[in-house]
Amino acid sequence: MRGVGSWFRETTGGLPRAFWYLWAGTLINRLGSFVLIFLAIYLTQARDFSAAQAGLVIGLWGVGGAVGTTVGGTLADRWGRRPTLLTAHLGAATMMLALGFARPLWAVAAGALLLGTFAEAARPTFGAMMIDVVPERDRLRAFSLNYWAINLGFACAAVLAGLAAEAGYLLLFVVDAATTLVAALIVFVRVGETRRTPATGPARQPAGGPPRAGALRTIAADRVFLGLVVLNLLGALVFLQHISMLPIAMGDAGLSPATYGAVIALNGVLIVAGQLFIPRLIRGRSRSHVLALAAVVMGVGFGLTAFADAAWFFGLAVLIWTLGEMLNSPSHATLIAELSPAELRGRYQGVFSLSWQLAGAIAPVLGGLVREHAGNATLWLGCAGLGVVTALGHLLSGPARERRASLLRGSAAPVTDIAPPVPQAAEAAVTVPPAPAPARTPG
């Protein structure tokens, strides 16, 4: 029992109070994230839209998300984290209800576009707030805890959404909107503005960083960061096949949608059971090596799908690529935090999130084309090959990333490619100052 208590304190102790409020908001929001899980089924079964029309609606959600991550990151830096996050949550809740009541295709499409914009605008803002409030030494376990909450919410939401759908699909939209509003209320009441760098005036040039000539030009000139974004895009093209092509492959094997739901639930269950042990597992190890290993493991897991013909085999493949996902997420999160200049954190988070939105739009189309013209086995073996390519990219670019992170930290210590250790729990909590009055316009 003493060992369990020590592990629990190392994992959760000493994190700022503001982090736990953000963490609670994440968990509550994800517990009600019903709509996206069942949107395709809702559109085709409850609304009698064709598969092509449903694809258009979901694609517009992705387009809105791409806009939202870009705008949200910019506003987080210029307007402030707190007002941007509150606006994103309130807008998402409003559009969630609007989408639930929409009937014509054009109204559903417009609702999905705007919902994607508001919902994804919160992502870079939330990431910037997490970096603001959590000290660098604690970020690995903080991001692991947040990722654990996301997947606990996802696992529960998948079950709860199925029950809610039996009572009526409108209930999915109402509950999703309500939990989004609760998350907004937590931020409004308990979390102050976290952005400490002035939004105006000349930006300071950090050592080793790209020249400051405007935010977008700064990011465009940051080849080290953009290299990481491209590698994440490649990995996301593989990972997101579990949403689009995996259910089709399982259907071709004679398995029911319910079986797919049970198999994919293994992803959330394994993350909930094991994610909190990941910081100790990767502590003191090369981040580029961890990311390379994660890419290979995910590639192997998806590659095995080419040979799967039974539920247990598909389940085994899911468990394997989930292990890679568990290694990938906290390592990426801490690295992005260190590569983001303080005054541009929101926009850096936005560009990184944009890689996920692009993958969300490209992955189903690319996967469908490969599967249709080259066959199911080619698709999944191609995923394995892309995982290996991504791993090689991490190994080759890792040293440059660590040099940049060290220079941005202003550290005089020798540059290493080693993830910082997780410290023993500290006793004091970090207090976030009260929020200043937000500007009347985002400009």
Side-chain angles (χ1 to χ4, degrees):
M1 292 298 294
R2 181 177 298 176
V4 173
S6 175
W7 166 80
F8 185 79
R9 287 191 298 273
E10 283 190 17
T11 303
T12 64
L15 291 169
R17 188 178 297 115
F19 163 78
W20 289 112
Y21 289 129
L22 292 171
W23 182 90
T26 295
L27 179 59
I28 293 171
N29 200 359
R30 293 292 176 163
L31 283 171
S33 58
F34 292 171
V35 171
L36 191 55
I37 297 174
F38 276 78
L39 184 58
I41 297 174
Y42 165 73
L43 293 173
T44 55
Q45 295 185 6
R47 301 302 321 284
D48 295 323
F49 289 162
S50 68
Q53 290 172 326
L56 170 65
V57 171
I58 297 173
L60 286 173
W61 179 309
V63 172
V67 174
T69 55
T70 304
V71 174
T74 301
L75 291 179
D77 286 336
R78 300 182 64 184
W79 190 24
R81 323 288 201 224
R82 189 170 182 262
T84 302
L85 189 61
L86 288 172
T87 301
H89 279 333
L90 293 174
T94 301
M95 295 313 305
M96 194 77 67
L97 293 175
L99 183 59
F101 285 104
R103 289 296 176 264
L105 176 60
W106 69 265
V108 172
L113 177 69
L114 292 173
L115 177 57
T117 301
F118 281 110
E120 293 303 322
R123 187 187 299 271
T125 310
F126 183 88
M129 291 183 82
M130 288 274 288
I131 299 171
D132 290 341
V133 303
V134 178
E136 180 184 327
R137 66 181 183 276
D138 293 326
R139 285 174 186 159
L140 178 61
R141 57 198 181 101
F143 279 112
S144 293
L145 284 164
N146 192 65
Y147 193 62
W148 182 85
I150 289 172
N151 282 276
L152 175 61
F154 170 79
C156 294
V159 176
L160 295 174
L163 298 175
E166 293 182 359
Y169 279 101
L170 181 60
L171 185 59
L172 298 179
F173 295 90
V174 172
V175 173
D176 206 331
T179 54
T180 303
L181 287 174
V182 172
L185 183 63
I186 291 173
V187 173
F188 178 75
V189 174
R190 305 304 305 180
V191 182
E193 176 59 65
T194 65
R195 178 173 59 94
R196 293 179 174 84
T197 300
T200 59
R204 182 175 58 88
Q205 167 72 36
R212 295 302 160 95
L216 293 180
R217 280 179 288 175
T218 295
I219 296 174
D222 193 343
R223 290 181 294 178
V224 173
F225 170 73
L226 292 180
L228 182 62
V229 172
V230 170
L231 290 174
N232 186 69
L233 174 62
L234 295 179
L237 290 175
V238 174
F239 177 72
L240 292 178
Q241 298 301 326
H242 79 278
I243 297 175
S244 54
M245 294 298 109
L246 181 59
I248 295 176
M250 293 183 66
D252 288 349
L255 301 174
S256 68
T259 303
Y260 165 74
V263 167
I264 203 64
L266 293 173
N267 169 258
V269 170
L270 181 57
I271 291 175
V272 170
Q275 187 66 45
L276 297 185
F277 296 96
I278 294 297
R280 175 172 289 188
L281 179 65
I282 66 178
R283 177 173 60 194
R285 301 186 186 278
S286 162
R287 276 189 295 210
S288 59
H289 290 177
V290 171
L291 288 170
L293 176 62
V296 170
V297 172
M298 281 198 287
V300 169
F302 281 98
L304 284 175
T305 308
F307 309 102
D309 57 0
W312 71 267
F313 205 151
F314 283 104
L316 175 63
V318 168
L319 290 175
I320 290 174
W321 59 252
T322 297
L323 290 173
E325 180 190 356
M326 292 165 68
L327 294 171
N328 179 78
S329 179
S331 300
H332 254 135
T334 57
L335 191 54
I336 290 296
E338 292 188 29
L339 291 177
S340 306
E343 67 274 20
L344 297 178
R345 279 175 181 164
R347 278 166 276 200
Y348 267 67
Q349 290 283 327
V351 171
F352 185 74
S353 296
L354 185 61
S355 65
W356 282 103
Q357 303 306 318
L358 291 175
I362 297 171
V365 177
L366 183 61
L369 290 174
V370 172
R371 192 175 187 278
E372 180 179 346
H373 295 288
N376 186 66
T378 302
L379 167 64
W380 300 112
L381 294 177
C383 287
L386 197 55
V388 172
V389 171
T390 304
L392 291 174
H394 280 301
L395 293 176
L396 293 173
S397 61
R401 290 196 302 252
E402 295 300 331
R403 285 194 296 270
R404 169 64 58 77
S406 180
L407 289 169
L408 284 174
R409 286 194 303 266
S411 172
V415 175
T416 64
D417 189 15
I418 303 298
V422 179
Q424 295 291 329
E427 295 296 329
V430 176
T431 302
V432 178
R440 293 187 180 274
T441 65

Short mmCIF file of all heavy atoms in Angstrom, two decimals, residues 247-255 371 376:
data_model
loop_
_atom_site.label_atom_id
_atom_site.label_comp_id
_atom_site.label_asym_id
_atom_site.label_seq_id
_atom_site.Cartn_x
_atom_site.Cartn_y
_atom_site.Cartn_z
N PRO A 247 -14.06 0.24 -39.22
CA PRO A 247 -15.41 -0.35 -39.19
C PRO A 247 -15.81 -1.01 -40.49
O PRO A 247 -16.52 -2.01 -40.49
CB PRO A 247 -16.32 0.85 -38.86
CG PRO A 247 -15.51 2.07 -39.15
CD PRO A 247 -14.09 1.68 -38.91
N ILE A 248 -15.33 -0.47 -41.62
CA ILE A 248 -15.63 -1.09 -42.91
C ILE A 248 -14.94 -2.45 -43.02
O ILE A 248 -15.53 -3.44 -43.47
CB ILE A 248 -15.20 -0.16 -44.06
CG1 ILE A 248 -16.03 1.12 -44.03
CG2 ILE A 248 -15.34 -0.84 -45.41
CD1 ILE A 248 -15.62 2.15 -45.05
N ALA A 249 -13.67 -2.52 -42.60
CA ALA A 249 -12.94 -3.78 -42.64
C ALA A 249 -13.60 -4.83 -41.75
O ALA A 249 -13.70 -6.01 -42.13
CB ALA A 249 -11.50 -3.56 -42.21
N MET A 250 -14.06 -4.42 -40.58
CA MET A 250 -14.72 -5.37 -39.69
C MET A 250 -16.07 -5.80 -40.25
O MET A 250 -16.49 -6.96 -40.09
CB MET A 250 -14.87 -4.75 -38.30
CG MET A 250 -13.55 -4.53 -37.58
SD MET A 250 -13.73 -3.88 -35.90
CE MET A 250 -14.54 -5.26 -35.08
N GLY A 251 -16.77 -4.89 -40.93
CA GLY A 251 -18.02 -5.26 -41.58
C GLY A 251 -17.81 -6.27 -42.68
O GLY A 251 -18.58 -7.23 -42.84
N ASP A 252 -16.75 -6.10 -43.46
CA ASP A 252 -16.42 -7.05 -44.51
C ASP A 252 -16.09 -8.43 -43.96
O ASP A 252 -16.25 -9.45 -44.64
CB ASP A 252 -15.24 -6.54 -45.35
CG ASP A 252 -15.63 -5.38 -46.24
OD1 ASP A 252 -16.84 -5.11 -46.37
OD2 ASP A 252 -14.73 -4.72 -46.79
N ALA A 253 -15.61 -8.46 -42.70
CA ALA A 253 -15.30 -9.74 -42.05
C ALA A 253 -16.53 -10.37 -41.43
O ALA A 253 -16.42 -11.40 -40.75
CB ALA A 253 -14.22 -9.54 -41.00
N GLY A 254 -17.71 -9.76 -41.63
CA GLY A 254 -18.95 -10.32 -41.12
C GLY A 254 -19.26 -9.94 -39.69
O GLY A 254 -20.12 -10.57 -39.06
N LEU A 255 -18.60 -8.90 -39.16
CA LEU A 255 -18.80 -8.49 -37.78
C LEU A 255 -19.79 -7.32 -37.73
O LEU A 255 -19.80 -6.46 -38.61
CB LEU A 255 -17.47 -8.09 -37.15
CG LEU A 255 -16.41 -9.21 -37.14
CD1 LEU A 255 -15.08 -8.68 -36.63
CD2 LEU A 255 -16.88 -10.39 -36.30
N ARG A 371 -8.01 1.62 -50.47
CA ARG A 371 -8.74 0.37 -50.29
C ARG A 371 -9.49 -0.02 -51.55
O ARG A 371 -9.54 -1.21 -51.92
CB ARG A 371 -9.72 0.54 -49.12
CG ARG A 371 -10.34 -0.75 -48.64
CD ARG A 371 -11.20 -0.51 -47.40
NE ARG A 371 -11.64 -1.77 -46.86
CZ ARG A 371 -12.69 -2.45 -47.32
NH1 ARG A 371 -13.38 -1.97 -48.34
NH2 ARG A 371 -13.05 -3.61 -46.78
N ASN A 376 -7.72 -4.08 -49.46
CA ASN A 376 -7.71 -3.91 -48.01
C ASN A 376 -6.32 -4.15 -47.42
O ASN A 376 -5.85 -3.38 -46.57
CB ASN A 376 -8.72 -4.87 -47.38
CG ASN A 376 -8.88 -4.66 -45.89
OD1 ASN A 376 -9.35 -3.63 -45.45
ND2 ASN A 376 -8.48 -5.65 -45.11
#
